[in-house]
Amino acid sequence: AQSVTQLDSHVSVSEGTPVLLRCNYSSSYSPSLFWYVQHPNKGLQLLLKYTSAATLVKGINGFEAEFKKSETSFHLTKPSAHMSDAAEYFCVVSQTYSGTYKYIFGTGTRLKVLA
Amino acid sequence: DVKVTQSSRYLVKRTGEKVFLECVQDMDHENMFWYRQDPGLGLRLIYFSYDVKMKEKGDIPEGYSVSREKKERFSLILESASTNQTSMYLCASSLAVQETQYFGPGTRLLVL
């Protein structure tokens, strides 16, 4: 069965310091993996996605994520946090097999950026 | 840019009322989705549609129904609203089922 675990429900960083949001997944087949961001009172916006090409994926706003099959992880990173990065982040695994669609969301990580 | 719009940002309804949530996308996407979002639970799929008049149950379809009469429009219907349906409802669309989903701004529904 597929699942997604976001290891931290809340992360606080100081402005200008690195960001690490952790995501582990469980999947029987080669998945597609996504990170979405949700700013307060807004819908979700795609940050980046992995679809079995390069394992290091670059996204918008300086974010990137590395697909590590051996660790079943897809952690999101950014070298230097900005105040505007404060939001909730969702890791998603997507897979179709046997005619069944599955798009599984993690429970989210709320990022707080301190001045 | 893909644009997904939802008919209301905020709604207040009474228990037992029939509630309609409307979603429209402008990119000719085949697939449309309805989710509800609750704190600590992430997003949970209610229903999705892969074509006009076609629908599939998601993980939590009980108490909901959907309608897709036109490709661009996907409606979520609460037949008889209950307080446990108070939530944020998000609509999304995608070109292919397993690909990037584009989300609307959400409708925050309060059932009293």
Side-chain angles (χ1 to χ4, degrees), chain A residues 8-19:
Chain A
D8 307 291
S9 59
H10 293 83
V11 170
S12 290
V13 300
S14 297
E15 190 176 22
T17 65
V19 176

Side-chain angles (χ1 to χ4, degrees), chain B:
Chain B
D1 276 356
V2 175
K3 189 160 186 184
V4 180
T5 56
Q6 296 183 231
S7 51
S8 305
R9 292 301 304 275
Y10 301 95
L11 273 180
V12 181
K13 297 292 181 180
R14 296 212 173 271
T15 301
E17 278 193 80
K18 192 168 186 175
V19 181
F20 292 86
L21 303 182
E22 300 280 331
C23 175
V24 177
Q25 52 96 2
D26 67 356
M27 280 302 290
D28 203 35
H29 283 171
E30 304 289 335
N31 304 283
M32 296 187 75
F33 308 85
W34 275 107
Y35 295 91
R36 64 176 283 175
Q37 181 180 17
D38 300 289
L41 296 178
L43 275 72
R44 293 178 292 167
L45 181 66
I46 304 171
Y47 268 97
F48 74 97
S49 169
Y50 51 88
D51 201 353
V52 174
K53 296 190 186 294
M54 306 302 287
K55 62 185 179 185
E56 290 281 342
K57 292 181 180 179
D59 298 317
I60 52 164
E62 297 77 19
Y64 303 94
S65 62
V66 291
S67 172
R68 190 149 180 222
E69 296 296 319
K70 293 185 177 181
K71 191 175 188 180
E72 68 271 18
R73 189 179 298 269
F74 191 35
S75 302
L76 179 70
I77 303 152
L78 286 64
E79 297 290 344
S80 177
S82 63
T83 54
N84 63 12
Q85 292 178 311
T86 290
S87 188
M88 169 75 100
Y89 290 87
L90 291 165
C91 175
S93 73
S94 71
L95 191 58
V97 164
Q98 69 275 26
E99 286 300 325
T100 303
Q101 293 190 10
Y102 297 87
F103 285 83
T107 295
R108 194 169 291 280
L109 173 66
L110 173 62
V111 182
L112 300 173

Side-chain angles (χ1 to χ4, degrees), chain A residues 43-57:
Chain A
L44 278 69
Q45 179 187 14
L46 180 71
L47 272 180
L48 51 82
K49 65 179 181 180
Y50 166 78
T51 54
S52 75
T55 56
L56 183 63
V57 183

